[in-house]
Amino acid sequence: MSKHVIRPVLPDEWEQVKELRLSALSDPAAPVAFLETVQEAAGRSDAYWQERTARAAEGRYARQFIAEAPDGQWDGSVTALVEEGGTDDFFGFPVAETQVHLVGVFVRAEQRGTGLTEDLFQAAVDWAWSLEEPTPVRVRLFVHEANARAAAFYRRFGFVASGHVVSVPGDPDAQEWEYVLVRP
């Protein structure tokens, strides 16, 4: 059993958010897991990281959950973004009903297979189901066609492929598959 604390980030923890994101983007799986490079992220200003962290710490539209080890190290993260019905999503497709989109999934290599990813996902999904007016009808995420390990985890957690496929931004020859978890 993990001794990590799973919790939302706090507004003043932008330096830790930045460090974890740079670690994630330095991981060998980053090219099929993220739409941003480590160089792009490292070049962003402190003000960017402060604003990003503040938005993910509070409010209805975004929440970043982290896994904090007993020694204070952050070993993983997932961010939940609310997509309101009647708007367009990141890819430019219309959102029919309010949903929560999970992004930025990362667990340090030495913590993979320990249950930490499940704990992070449970916190994000519980948060999604706690939202009201409008209540999200599903949680979704996208996985790169070459990221079989992630796709297998999502299926084990209960997500199913929706059949919706999008081109990877910047690489029209690659695809991302949508996986969904429908509200129980």
Side-chain angles (χ1 to χ4, degrees), residues 9 36 60 74 80 103 119 123 125 135 174 178 184:
V9 298
E36 177 180 41
R60 169 171 166 69
W74 289 11
V103 299
D119 293 345
V125 169
T135 303
E178 181 187 57

Side-chain angles (χ1 to χ4, degrees), residues 27 75 106-113 149:
D27 189 272
D75 284 328
F106 174 69
V107 170
R108 295 187 194 274
E110 63 273 15
Q111 295 295 330
R112 293 178 190 153
R149 179 184 174 107

Side-chain angles (χ1 to χ4, degrees), residues 23-108:
S23 292
L25 295 172
S26 299
D27 189 272
V32 296
F34 303 106
L35 298 177
E36 177 180 41
T37 67
V38 69
Q39 294 81 9
E40 291 167 336
R44 298 193 189 281
S45 69
D46 288 350
Y48 167 87
W49 292 104
Q50 291 163 358
E51 182 179 317
R52 176 182 173 138
T53 304
R55 280 193 322 266
E58 301 174 356
R60 169 171 166 69
Y61 295 99
R63 188 65 51 100
Q64 182 177 2
F65 294 90
I66 57 99
E68 185 175 16
D71 66 1
Q73 176 173 289
W74 289 11
D75 284 328
S77 177
V78 63
T79 300
L81 304 173
V82 175
E83 298 174 322
E84 293 281 347
T87 65
D88 289 341
D89 69 10
F90 173 81
F91 297 104
F93 292 100
V95 176
E97 296 181 84
T98 299
Q99 60 192 6
V100 173
H101 188 161
L102 301 185
V103 299
V105 178
F106 174 69
V107 170
R108 295 187 194 274

